[in-house]
Amino acid sequence: MPHPPASLPERAMPGRSFRLRARVVAGLFCAVCFAGLAARLAWLQLAGADGYAQRALGQQLRDTAVPAGRGLILSADGVVLAANASCWTIRACPREMPEARLELAAQGLGDILELDPARLLEQFRQRSSNDCLLRRRVDQDTAGAVRDFCQQNDIAGIRILQDTRRQYPEGAFLASVLGFTNVDNVGAAGLELEYNDALAGQDGRVLTAVNAWGYALEQSYAVLQPPVQGNTLVLTIDAAIQRYLENALTYAVAEHHAAARGVGIVLDVDTGAVVAMATVPAFDPNQPRVIYDEAQRAAVDALTGQARADALQQAQQAQWRNKAVSDLYEPGSVFKLITCAAALDAGAVGPADTFVCGPYLSVAGTRFHCANRKRHGVQTVTEALMNSCNQSLIQMGARLGKEAFCDYFAAFGLREATGIDLPAEPAKSLYYTADRMGPVELASCSFGQSSKVSYIGMAAAVAAIVNGGRLMRPYVVAEVRTPAGALVQKTQPACVRQVIRPETSALMRQMMEAVVAGGGGQKAQIAGYRVGGKSGTSQKLDSDDPTARIASFVAAAPIDDPQLLCLICLDEPHSWSNAGGSLSAPVCAEVLEQALVHRGVPRSAVPAAPALAELPADGDSFNGE
């Protein structure tokens, strides 16, 4: 038989000291845990209370922005150029929509909002979504149709939120200056972009109570912070003169088939204020992405695929571009006013000096001819301007010298941006510096080739020639005001520098009047008003077409006491002539005559031939920057 197992020894019971130690350790552990919990609770109630309160509010409230209306844009004579119109944005909350009606909602709303029903149904079936954008800024009829459809079919979860959209009551009027806004109502071009911060108001807020699942409570409440409309811009643009400019320029561009559009600028010569500015053809800022030019739109629509997308983008960018500010061009013979004024002001040339125009003028082996190879013979300074003689201006430039020529070029502001309050102005022009200028470059620059400047820069420089020699900074916004009318900002005319002496300016005015009275600018004459001006027909040296020209004319009136200056440029005209004195001078005359009559400037007898004054012998050059 097996032996019974030996009995196990008895275990000793824990001693009293051990049990005491265990109780102490357990007590300490509990005390530490309690202290930690107490500290955490204290921190949550004191230090972290604000953060958790905000998180709770975020779960209990729905925060909805109420878009603010943008500020108005007004012309100098009070015409509303940019305003706001009420519209509605349609959004959906899929988690609130009844499951049984999703297909009906997708089909019905797709028809009303012109959206793909299949795509809508896919969005509605994302039941975790609390917000889904359907359409932005629809009109009142569309919003009403959505509301009626949802009520008639008992469809919940569709929100119709009041919004504002930009509206331009005058359509394409001043479009290149005003610009437009994007889908988010933010400035995308023109003044809308340049003054976006001033025009954009302050959005309001609506807080609505919701439950734990995000549904609006039946007895919810809303706290409204009303939106604040943006500030109002009051422009220097005279709406009447702007219409005169646009009408005349549009007709000229169409009549002479200007392939690369036309540019027109009217300046107040004393202040630099832009009275009118146009790039034609323009576009409708209410529908900025629609190609405004019918022929170009048809050409784009004839394409397909990526080629059409690229052509569409290029056409849109071209029509939005404000050439008057953003583009550089060869000024041609209009620039002869700068060379002549500089030479006279520096004392390199006197009013009675004469120059010889023969078959050609050779400069460092390069032959220069006058237009159509005319031979003007012996001429005074005034006659050289009247005949727009290249050879005479080359001789004036040579007498002035490249250093002084470049100094005056810079002093007239033609190297850099004018600082006008419009976007996309080039930071600098294309020009020769003295260290890179040889005799041939000086010769070509003297009569307006080989340099490219902005249209607004050229207009401001000629304004300085006729206003006593002061280069004024051009500007478009006269005032910024609150919606209530309180003045926030007022633009003061700014003189950049004194470029030429008043005596030189007076002499140049007489010479410019002679150009219109008996020279190449006779088509700019206005009955009862004394006009001074200069024509230009510049070759586009960087064009693939060797026959491409820019026909331009600049005129100021009344030239004995200048008030307004008008620059008209037709880019690549295809007509019976491409001469600025033939095509652009009549446009200047039409615009200036209407503008002067509009301003109440009386007509007077025009002298047959103005007498030329003499400059003092000791000619001082321009004041330094």
Side-chain angles (χ1 to χ4, degrees):
M1 293 183 63
H3 296 285
S7 59
L8 295 175
E10 294 184 2
R11 286 190 301 172
M13 296 298 291
R16 183 174 181 183
S17 60
F18 176 79
R19 291 196 297 272
L20 180 61
R21 287 195 302 270
R23 293 191 185 100
V24 170
V25 170
L28 287 174
F29 179 77
C30 293
V32 170
C33 292
F34 180 79
L37 292 174
R40 177 63 175 168
L41 182 59
W43 187 89
L44 291 176
Q45 292 180 334
L46 299 176
D50 293 340
Y52 281 91
Q54 292 300 320
R55 289 178 62 182
L57 287 175
Q59 296 173 354
Q60 299 164 7
L61 298 175
R62 177 186 296 144
D63 188 358
T64 305
V66 180
R70 290 176 68 83
L72 303 179
I73 301 180
L74 309 176
S75 69
D77 45 346
V79 175
V80 178
L81 304 175
N84 301 301
S86 294
C87 60
W88 288 263
T89 294
I90 313 300
R91 309 187 79 93
C93 179
R95 68 169 59 176
E96 294 182 11
M97 299 179 68
E99 180 74 31
R101 289 178 169 77
L102 291 185
E103 293 188 8
L104 174 63
Q107 186 61 52
L109 293 175
D111 293 341
I112 297 171
L113 299 176
E114 298 179 352
L115 297 174
D116 181 12
R119 174 61 180 159
L120 283 181
L121 182 59
E122 181 182 347
Q123 292 176 307
F124 293 162
R125 282 176 172 167
Q126 296 178 4
R127 307 295 282 169
S128 61
S129 174
N130 197 37
D131 184 57
C132 174
L133 174 65
L134 302 185
R135 277 288 299 272
R136 289 179 181 271
R137 298 185 173 89
V138 301
D139 57 27
Q140 184 174 5
D141 292 341
T142 302
V146 170
R147 182 181 294 106
D148 293 343
F149 172 78
C150 292
Q151 290 177 348
Q152 293 168 6
N153 295 278
D154 196 24
I155 297 175
I158 301 299
R159 300 194 186 103
I160 304 174
L161 306 176
Q162 187 164 355
D163 203 344
T164 62
R165 62 177 174 84
R166 205 58 161 157
Q167 185 180 54
Y168 302 91
E170 302 296 324
F173 183 74
L174 197 65
S176 61
V177 175
L178 293 175
F180 58 93
T181 59
N182 60 20
V183 294
D184 295 316
N185 222 22
V186 176
L191 288 170
E192 295 279 22
L193 173 61
E194 185 73 9
Y195 284 87
N196 185 68
D197 290 344
L199 290 167
Q202 188 174 20
D203 289 348
R205 318 298 299 179
V206 173
L207 302 178
T208 306
V210 295
N211 61 19
W213 292 272
Y215 299 117
L217 296 177
E218 291 186 4
Q219 297 187 1
S220 62
Y221 62 91
V223 177
L224 175 65
Q225 177 186 337
V228 178
Q229 183 171 318
N231 290 327
T232 296
L233 302 186
V234 181
L235 308 185
T236 59
I237 301 293
D238 186 309
I241 298 177
Q242 179 71 24
R243 291 191 193 281
Y244 303 150
L245 176 63
E246 290 193 12
N247 290 341
L249 187 59
T250 299
Y251 181 82
V253 167
E255 181 183 19
H256 302 303
H257 308 286
R261 303 205 289 174
V263 172
I265 300 171
V266 179
L267 287 182
D268 184 312
V269 299
D270 285 328
T271 65
V274 178
V275 179
M277 177 182 284
T279 300
V280 173
F283 64 97
D284 187 350
N286 293 299
Q287 296 178 307
R289 286 167 178 77
V290 175
I291 305 303
Y292 201 61
D293 183 86
E294 293 182 1
Q296 194 171 30
R297 184 169 68 247
V300 171
D301 290 341
L303 301 174
T304 58
Q306 189 60 42
R308 183 184 186 280
D310 294 342
L312 177 61
Q313 183 180 26
Q314 184 176 2
Q316 289 173 337
Q317 293 293 335
Q319 76 173 10
W320 298 338
R321 193 171 182 85
N322 183 2
K323 288 188 64 167
V325 172
S326 301
D327 283 16
L328 302 178
Y329 83 115
E330 296 91 346
S333 293
V334 169
F335 187 86
K336 291 173 181 175
L337 295 174
I338 304 294
T339 303
C340 186
L344 290 169
D345 194 66
V349 170
D353 289 355
T354 57
F355 306 89
V356 178
C357 174
Y360 62 85
L361 180 63
S362 180
V363 179
T366 299
R367 294 183 176 184
F368 289 92
H369 305 270
C370 277
N372 302 319
R373 297 183 180 269
K374 290 183 179 179
R375 305 179 187 182
H376 298 110
V378 179
Q379 301 176 106
T380 63
V381 178
T382 301
E383 290 169 339
L385 281 181
M386 292 172 66
N387 296 321
S388 197
C389 177
N390 291 345
Q391 295 183 38
S392 296
L393 268 295
I394 291 173
Q395 296 170 60
M396 291 185 202
R399 292 190 190 182
L400 181 61
K402 65 178 185 179
E403 296 287 349
F405 178 88
C406 292
D407 287 344
Y408 274 98
F409 188 94
F412 274 108
L414 297 174
R415 281 190 176 184
E416 58 196 8
T418 64
I420 189 171
D421 51 342
L422 284 169
E425 184 181 18
K428 63 179 183 178
S429 307
L430 298 178
Y431 56 91
Y432 282 100
T433 54
D435 60 320
R436 297 189 300 113
M437 180 179 283
V440 175
E441 289 78 17
L442 175 59
S444 61
C445 289
S446 295
F447 62 89
Q449 293 293 158
S450 300
S451 300
K452 297 183 74 171
V453 300
S454 69
Y455 295 89
I456 186 63
M458 194 67 218
V462 178
I465 289 177
V466 302
N467 72 2
R470 296 171 296 111
L471 179 65
M472 305 301 296
R473 179 175 293 113
Y475 62 99
V476 177
V477 174
E479 295 176 348
V480 179
R481 293 185 173 273
T482 66
L487 183 65
V488 175
Q489 174 187 325
K490 184 177 180 63
T491 305
Q492 297 296 335
C495 177
V496 180
R497 67 181 68 87
Q498 184 77 28
V499 184
I500 59 176
R501 291 171 297 144
E503 297 87 352
T504 306
S505 176
L507 183 57
M508 288 300 301
R509 290 197 297 269
Q510 295 177 48
M511 292 181 175
M512 290 172 65
E513 185 172 10
V515 171
V516 173
Q522 295 183 52
K523 290 191 175 182
Q525 294 177 2
I526 305 173
Y529 292 110
R530 296 172 62 177
V531 181
K534 182 70 187 77
S535 62
T537 309
S538 54
Q539 182 179 1
K540 299 181 71 171
L541 299 177
D542 56 356
S543 173
D544 295 333
D545 181 3
T547 66
R549 297 291 186 272
I550 299 176
S552 61
F553 199 90
V554 64
I559 195 62
D560 54 323
D561 182 20
Q563 294 188 25
L564 298 177
L565 176 140
C566 181
L567 173 65
I568 297 294
C569 300
L570 301 178
D571 200 342
E572 297 188 24
H574 295 82
S575 189
W576 55 272
S577 171
N578 58 15
S582 299
L583 306 186
S584 299
V587 183
C588 272
E590 179 181 347
V591 174
L592 283 176
E593 180 176 19
Q594 293 176 313
L596 293 172
V597 171
H598 171 69
R599 285 195 161 195
V601 179
R603 298 179 189 265
S604 61
V606 178
L612 295 181
E614 293 289 339
L615 273 178
D618 54 340
D620 296 325
S621 63
F622 64 91
N623 295 332
E625 296 185 26

